[in-house]
Amino acid sequence: MKAFLQNEIQLFFSRKNYLVWIVGALAVVFAYRFYYVTQYENYAQTVLEELEENAKDITIWESEYQRQCMELWGDNSAEKFAHASLLLNAWKQYEQTNIRLRYYWEQAWDENGIRRTVLEEDENLIAIEELGEEVEYTGIFRGSVADWRARMLLHKAYQQSGTEEPVCPVVPQAAWLWKEAFSGNSVLFLIFTVLIILLHFDAWANEFEYATCYRLYILPIKKEWLYLERFFVRVLVSVVCVGSAAGILFLLGTARYGTGGQMLLVISEQGTQTVISIWSLVREEILGMLLYIVFLTAAVLLISFIVKTKMNALMICAAFCMTGIVQTTASDGTGKGIVEWLPQLSALTLLMLLAGCILIRIRAVSYTHLRAHETRHDL
């Protein structure tokens, strides 16, 4: 048993897997520099483009409510006129705050001015939300009403904590990068997924292609243990590989931008919005990532064992990966990401391990019977 474990570890640390890890680590570095740092550096320009679009909407809706007020003036519909006047006033206030924000972002970089103006802009919408009229489609809430409520929760939480609210929410600090990496719907998460697949797609396929699997079938130990031991070794090394890549990411973010542990986030669970610290979310996501590594390793090993060839195993794993990407990117990003899938992942992992143990037992028994039949025939 001990010799088998040592052999498993030696098999894993092949030249191919060393190369895969190096490529994965480089991919993490490139994603950090050319995606997250670039996203941060271009954030001001992105905001200015949004403000330009907002200015066009303001012109349209301010004219529309001005027209409604003129039509309702003098009619016996005081309530409708009051509503239209309130909305017209809100759009005029929105115009003023939008102009100031454009000035702060483009000409006079003033973080305090941006914070004050954004807070004022959101507080001006309290009366509109209390009005109860369906105006979300106009874009006055800068998104949905739920988005506005999330911003208000954040404003209040930062005020209570005595911490300045960040002007830019996408600074590539260590905590933010880990939150992205373990979220289940990011570039870094995709890199980790591909890394695990490339490390393990040939775990059993190599045995079948080089006909060494038959030696395993005749070993005097339970075949289920062979499958499970290979699985546990692969999971352990997967955690080490992903963890080391995440450690590089942490060092890159901390060295240039800091840890960012004071950041607060709003998550939505079953329609309820809650403010939590970014490290609280990261801790939960790490737990989810560990279980995801276990699940993905189990899936890749089972595929490799069933299809028996490296090329077919890699193609099926790639299709599996793409399906997962479609599912995870469909998330709106307001929940806890992969943490929400922990029960399903746990159940699927157990089923795949059970299937692998059953299959290796069946194949071992079939091979033993075949050898016995051939021996009797030779005699």
Side-chain angles (χ1 to χ4, degrees):
M1 187 74 70
K2 184 178 179 181
F4 178 75
L5 286 174
Q6 292 175 344
N7 184 60
E8 282 298 310
I9 295 174
Q10 290 175 357
L11 285 174
F12 179 83
F13 287 104
S14 62
R15 186 177 301 175
K16 177 270 255 185
N17 285 344
Y18 277 123
L19 180 61
V20 167
W21 183 87
I22 292 171
V23 172
L26 289 175
V28 167
V29 174
F30 274 85
Y32 164 77
R33 178 59 189 91
F34 295 106
Y35 182 80
Y36 290 100
V37 173
T38 301
Q39 182 185 41
Y40 167 64
E41 293 173 345
N42 294 337
Y43 184 75
Q45 184 59 39
T46 302
V47 171
L48 286 171
E49 290 174 0
E50 292 177 358
L51 293 174
E52 288 290 340
E53 292 298 319
N54 292 344
K56 296 176 183 178
D57 292 338
I58 289 169
T59 302
I60 293 171
W61 288 105
E62 190 174 341
S63 301
E64 171 62 20
Y65 285 109
Q66 182 73 49
R67 182 189 62 79
Q68 290 185 21
C69 287
M70 293 178 64
E71 290 179 353
L72 293 170
W73 177 257
D75 291 350
N76 295 324
S77 51
E79 184 177 352
K80 291 183 179 179
F81 178 77
H83 284 188
S85 299
L86 182 61
L87 287 166
L88 175 60
N89 186 54
W91 281 105
K92 288 182 176 180
Q93 291 175 333
Y94 191 7
E95 181 181 24
Q96 294 303 314
T97 55
N98 195 69
I99 291 172
R100 293 210 305 272
L101 283 174
R102 288 164 64 186
Y103 172 74
Y104 288 141
W105 279 103
E106 189 173 18
Q107 299 183 34
W109 175 252
D110 184 356
E111 291 193 5
N112 290 327
I114 292 172
R115 291 190 189 95
R116 288 194 306 269
T117 306
V118 170
L119 178 60
E120 177 187 341
E121 192 171 74
D122 286 332
E123 288 180 339
N124 288 340
L125 297 172
I126 295 176
I128 304 301
E129 198 265 345
E130 293 175 348
L131 187 64
E133 189 170 326
E134 181 58 47
V135 293
E136 183 178 314
Y137 65 93
T138 65
I140 194 170
F141 288 99
R142 289 190 291 125
S144 65
V145 175
D147 295 334
W148 170 76
R149 288 172 180 163
R151 294 197 302 271
M152 291 300 291
L153 280 175
L154 278 179
H155 295 325
K156 183 178 179 181
Y158 276 112
Q159 289 172 353
Q160 290 176 345
S161 67
T163 306
E164 288 188 341
E165 188 171 356
V167 170
C168 176
V170 294
V171 180
Q173 297 170 315
W176 172 260
L177 291 170
W178 272 20
K179 178 253 177 195
E180 285 287 294
F182 305 141
S183 64
N185 54 359
S186 67
V187 174
L188 291 168
F189 184 83
L190 174 60
I191 291 173
F192 290 155
T193 298
V194 174
L195 174 64
I196 294 171
I197 289 174
L198 292 178
L199 287 173
H200 305 309
F201 76 94
D202 58 349
W204 285 103
N206 271 338
E207 301 281 6
F208 290 104
E209 289 192 357
Y210 295 109
T212 55
C213 59
Y214 304 114
R215 298 178 185 176
L216 300 179
Y217 290 159
I218 60 177
L219 290 176
I221 57 176
K222 288 186 176 181
K223 305 308 175 284
E224 294 87 346
W225 283 114
L226 291 177
Y227 191 90
L228 291 176
E229 284 175 3
R230 175 160 291 181
F231 165 73
F232 287 126
V233 169
R234 294 278 172 160
V235 167
L236 178 61
V237 181
S238 295
V239 171
V240 172
C241 290
V242 172
S244 58
I248 293 173
L249 192 64
F250 184 90
L251 293 175
L252 288 172
T254 302
R256 188 169 181 181
Y257 300 104
T259 59
Q262 72 281 2
M263 188 176 186
L264 301 177
L265 300 170
V266 174
I267 61 170
S268 179
E269 294 182 289
Q270 299 178 348
T272 302
Q273 293 179 327
T274 309
V275 178
I276 64 172
S277 70
I278 191 169
W279 281 124
S280 296
L281 181 58
V282 167
R283 283 194 293 269
E284 294 186 18
E285 287 185 344
I286 289 175
L287 174 62
M289 188 67 190
L290 290 174
L291 185 53
Y292 177 74
I293 291 173
V294 173
F295 160 76
L296 186 59
T297 304
V300 175
L301 289 183
L302 182 61
I303 292 170
S304 181
F305 188 80
I306 291 174
V307 301
K308 299 183 180 180
T309 62
K310 289 185 287 188
M311 185 57 65
N312 289 341
L314 184 59
M315 291 176 63
I316 294 174
C317 289
F320 174 84
C321 179
M322 293 304 299
T323 302
I325 293 168
V326 171
Q327 292 294 325
T328 55
T329 52
S331 170
D332 59 3
T334 59
K336 292 186 177 181
I338 199 170
V339 178
E340 298 174 347
W341 296 88
L342 291 185
Q344 295 90 332
L345 292 180
S346 301
L348 287 172
T349 301
L350 292 175
L351 287 175
M352 288 186 292
L353 289 178
L354 179 61
C357 290
I358 292 173
L359 287 174
I360 195 172
R361 183 65 179 177
I362 292 172
R363 286 183 178 175
V365 170
S366 300
Y367 178 73
T368 303
H369 287 183
L370 179 62
R371 286 289 304 273
H373 177 73
E374 290 176 348
T375 302
R376 287 194 298 269
H377 179 73
D378 293 339
L379 292 175

